[in-house]
Amino acid sequence: MRLLLVEDDAMIGEAIRAGLRRDGFTVDWVHDGETAEQVLKTESFDVLLLDLGLPRKAGLAVLSGLRARGDALPVIILTARDSVSDRVQGLDAGADDYLVKPFDLDELAARIRALLRRKSGQTAPAIEHLGVVLNPAAHTVQRDGQDIALSPREFALLQLLMERPGTIHSRERIEGRLYGWGEELESNAIEVHVHGLRRKLGADFILTVRGVGYRVRPA
Ligand code: CA
């Protein structure tokens, strides 16, 4: 899952990015509202973590612009302003959730997972498909009740494919979701991860749709 973090405080931003990376998220970070707006217009993310007090453009203006363009990207507001009116304004401007600083990083990660579940219409915390059970919070995968050890990238790829089992994902889209800015990406990286998953989950769990991309085998 790829997140865009918009936060101008270096210490808070660094802590959030480090904590969420430990939790398996891909995190890209910008420091002002204007840059956030540019990036949001050209790249795709799974969740936006948005500070309100930002240089160059206020967080609320970034959020309003996003919704005015019809972009339904899930948004969590991160704010130091502990006033009811700020939170109400944020939610009314189209935010899905908010956290008041200082907050616990585990709580932030849990809220991100909850938001992603709601957006994909999932009700259970774990995703199940053809005997494979993936638990995003516990970072575990089981096949027919047996624990399967995956690398962080394999886990992220499997989660992406299992969350929308009917969807074919192009290599470009998968790369965009698994790798943030400045992260080394070999040209055959996705093929390598798919190969690893097939070795661990069975050769036919992930199908190659020639010329299009990858999907999990239909149930
Ligand atoms: Ca700020």
Side-chain angles (χ1 to χ4, degrees), residues 46-66:
D46 295 292
V47 174
L48 171 64
L49 305 175
L50 182 64
D51 182 26
L52 288 186
L54 288 168
R56 297 179 70 201
K57 185 161 211 161
L60 272 180
V62 174
L63 176 59
S64 302
L66 186 76

Side-chain angles (χ1 to χ4, degrees), residues 9-85:
D9 185 300
M11 270 177 60
I12 295 174
E14 192 50 61
I16 293 173
R17 181 169 65 173
L20 290 177
R21 280 183 172 170
R22 268 197 305 278
D23 247 315
F25 294 102
T26 297
V27 185
D28 288 322
W29 176 18
V30 297
H31 305 250
D32 68 85
E34 192 66 46
T35 308
E37 188 146 277
Q38 292 309 315
V39 167
L40 287 166
K41 283 178 180 169
T42 54
E43 301 195 42
S44 73
F45 299 88
D46 295 292
V47 174
L48 171 64
L49 305 175
L50 182 64
D51 182 26
L52 288 186
L54 288 168
R56 297 179 70 201
K57 185 161 211 161
L60 272 180
V62 174
L63 176 59
S64 302
L66 186 76
R67 296 306 186 226
R69 294 193 297 277
D71 192 326
L73 176 68
V75 176
I76 299 177
I77 284 176
L78 311 174
T79 177
R81 306 175 192 178
D82 191 12
S83 86
V84 174
S85 73

Side-chain angles (χ1 to χ4, degrees), residues 5-217:
L5 168 64
V6 191
E7 169 62 69
D8 61 317
D9 185 300
M11 270 177 60
I12 295 174
E14 192 50 61
I16 293 173
R17 181 169 65 173
L20 290 177
R21 280 183 172 170
R22 268 197 305 278
D23 247 315
F25 294 102
T26 297
V27 185
D28 288 322
W29 176 18
V30 297
H31 305 250
D32 68 85
E34 192 66 46
T35 308
E37 188 146 277
Q38 292 309 315
V39 167
L40 287 166
K41 283 178 180 169
T42 54
E43 301 195 42
S44 73
F45 299 88
D46 295 292
V47 174
L48 171 64
L49 305 175
L50 182 64
D51 182 26
L52 288 186
L54 288 168
R56 297 179 70 201
K57 185 161 211 161
L60 272 180
V62 174
L63 176 59
S64 302
L66 186 76
R67 296 306 186 226
R69 294 193 297 277
D71 192 326
L73 176 68
V75 176
I76 299 177
I77 284 176
L78 311 174
T79 177
R81 306 175 192 178
D82 191 12
S83 86
V84 174
S85 73
D86 281 331
R87 298 199 298 259
V88 169
Q89 268 190 10
L91 293 168
D92 278 345
D96 299 273
D97 200 357
Y98 67 87
L99 272 175
V100 177
K101 298 172 191 170
F103 49 78
D104 188 278
L105 283 172
D106 288 339
E107 180 176 3
L108 175 60
R111 282 179 188 249
I112 293 168
R113 287 190 292 266
L115 186 50
L116 290 169
R117 277 202 305 275
R118 284 203 299 276
K119 287 285 166 181
S120 65
Q122 261 173 269
T123 48
I127 313 167
E128 199 272 336
H129 186 72
L130 298 173
V132 175
V133 180
L134 180 146
N135 188 318
H139 283 281
T140 56
V141 173
Q142 291 187 322
R143 183 183 184 223
D144 300 327
Q146 299 288 311
D147 289 325
I148 308 280
L150 300 182
S151 73
R153 300 278 195 214
E154 287 172 348
F155 187 92
L157 172 56
L158 184 63
Q159 183 175 355
L160 181 66
L161 296 178
M162 284 180 67
E163 276 180 344
R164 291 175 188 82
T167 303
I168 301 167
H169 299 264
S170 70
R171 197 182 74 183
E172 291 71 29
R173 183 184 140 76
I174 294 170
E175 287 173 355
R177 283 297 203 272
L178 264 57
Y179 291 84
W181 303 326
E183 290 189 292
E184 191 117 348
L185 173 62
E186 303 282 341
S187 63
N188 66 340
I190 304 306
E191 284 86 345
V192 170
H193 300 322
V194 168
H195 178 78
L197 287 172
R198 283 178 174 151
R199 196 161 45 78
K200 294 169 183 178
L201 297 171
D204 62 348
F205 189 73
I206 295 171
L207 306 180
T208 301
V209 183
R210 206 165 285 283
V212 187
Y214 300 99
R215 63 174 299 183
V216 291
R217 182 159 54 90

